[in-house]
Amino acid sequence: GRKVNGKVITELGTKVNPDKDKIEFDGKLFSKQEKEVYVLLNKPIGYVTTVKDQFSRDIVTDLIKGVDVKLLPVGRLDMYTSGALILTNDGDFIYKVTHPKHEVEKTYTVTLKGKIENNEVEKLKSGVKIDDYITKPAKVKILKIDEEKNQSRLAITIHEGKNRQVRKMCNAINKKVLALHRAKIGNIDVKNLEIGKWKYLNINEIEELLNN
C-alpha cells in the first residue's frame, strides 16, 4: 500500500508534496530528488574537463560508465594534466569546493626539465608572479633529481585553483613542465586508482573535504 508520513492512503487524489512529505510505496521510500553521487576519477592525459566539447575531443565523462545521473566536474584539469578529478551531481558541493574562500588543498606531482635549485624551490614556496597576481605560499618538496635524464620531480601543494596555475608557477622560474599529475585533493588521493579508472567516494570523504 501507499503511505504518506506514515499514514496509509485510502482516498484517491490525496495531495502530496514530495519535497516535504515522506512518501512510501510498498515499504520503499520515494524521493523526488536524485541521490547525490560523488565520483573520483584518475584522469588520463588527452581528456578535456568539460561536459561537451565543440572540437569533439575526448571528455572526462566518457570514462564514467554505468552512473545514471548527469555528473559535472568539480573544478578542472587541463587536457595535458592527469590525476584526481571529482565529479558529482551535487551543485552545492561544487560551489563550496571551488569557492576561493574554501581553499581545498591540491597536491600535484610535477616533472620539470633540468635540475631545480634550492633558490627556485624557495621562490615557488613563497610566491611567484603569474599574470597579474602573486601566488600564495605553497608547499614544495623535491621528490627526485635525475641527473641522467636532466629532470626534477617535485610535489607542489597549492590552495588556490587559478587556471593552469602550477604550469604558470614553473614557467615563472623558467622551468619547462614535462609532466603534471594531480595526486591529491584534500586527503583524497588516486594512488590506488589506475589512470582512466574511477570509484565512488563515500559521504565521510566528502564531509572531510568540506570541513578541512
Side-chain angles (χ1 to χ4, degrees):
R2 300 167 189 214
K3 288 183 186 175
V4 170
N5 299 334
K7 293 193 187 66
V8 177
I9 302 294
T10 46
E11 62 208 78
L12 289 172
T14 304
K15 291 253 189 306
V16 166
N17 176 346
D19 288 332
K20 286 214 296 270
D21 295 337
K22 205 172 109 182
I23 305 161
E24 281 176 64
F25 188 75
D26 291 342
K28 288 198 181 67
L29 223 49
F30 167 81
S31 136
K32 182 180 75 81
Q33 293 169 308
E34 299 181 323
K35 70 177 193 332
E36 278 146 3
V37 174
Y38 308 90
V39 158
L40 174 68
L41 170 70
N42 192 347
K43 175 188 157 329
I45 288 168
Y47 281 76
V48 289
T49 312
T50 51
V51 182
K52 47 182 184 294
D53 184 61
Q54 74 227 46
F55 308 112
S56 70
R57 294 174 297 186
D58 294 323
I59 57 175
V60 288
T61 45
D62 295 344
L63 293 162
I64 296 163
K65 304 272 189 277
V67 179
D68 54 359
V69 295
K70 191 172 184 327
L71 296 175
L72 295 172
V74 182
R76 51 197 316 159
L77 285 179
D78 72 47
M79 186 167 168
Y80 301 106
T81 302
S82 59
L85 182 70
I86 296 173
L87 297 100
T88 183
N89 60 340
D90 178 350
D92 287 345
F93 175 76
I94 294 178
Y95 174 76
K96 284 177 187 147
V97 172
T98 52
H99 199 277
K101 74 172 196 309
H102 209 87
E103 299 199 326
V104 173
E105 275 196 344
K106 292 171 282 288
T107 300
Y108 293 80
T109 309
V110 195
T111 307
L112 297 174
K113 192 172 161 67
K115 179 176 184 295
I116 191 150
E117 304 295 339
N118 286 338
N119 66 328
E120 295 170 320
V121 169
E122 288 311 314
K123 276 184 198 164
L124 290 175
K125 279 185 182 172
S126 58
V128 290
K129 187 174 188 322
I130 55 181
D131 301 336
D132 51 359
Y133 67 96
I134 305 274
T135 56
K136 289 188 180 151
K139 292 180 196 153
V140 183
K141 195 166 125 203
I142 296 177
L143 300 175
K144 187 180 182 188
I145 292 181
D146 188 330
E147 305 272 353
E148 218 169 288
K149 287 186 178 163
N150 191 29
Q151 289 177 5
S152 309
R153 283 187 76 212
L154 310 178
I156 299 181
T157 302
I158 58 172
H159 281 286
E160 305 151 282
K162 306 269 193 194
N163 191 18
R164 299 170 73 94
Q165 181 174 338
V166 176
R167 287 184 189 277
K168 287 176 178 175
M169 285 169 71
C170 296
N171 291 343
I173 59 161
N174 296 319
K175 283 280 182 278
K176 183 176 164 50
V177 174
L178 300 174
L180 185 55
H181 175 78
R182 183 156 68 190
K184 283 174 85 174
I185 301 170
N187 1 12
I188 293 172
D189 67 59
V190 285
K191 65 171 184 274
N192 299 322
L193 197 57
E194 271 175 63
I195 288 270
K197 297 277 188 279
W198 62 274
K199 65 172 188 176
Y200 290 107
L201 291 174
N202 64 44
I203 202 68
N204 299 346
E205 293 169 302
I206 291 303
E207 293 283 313
E208 205 173 331
L209 257 191
L210 290 176
N211 298 326
N212 79 359

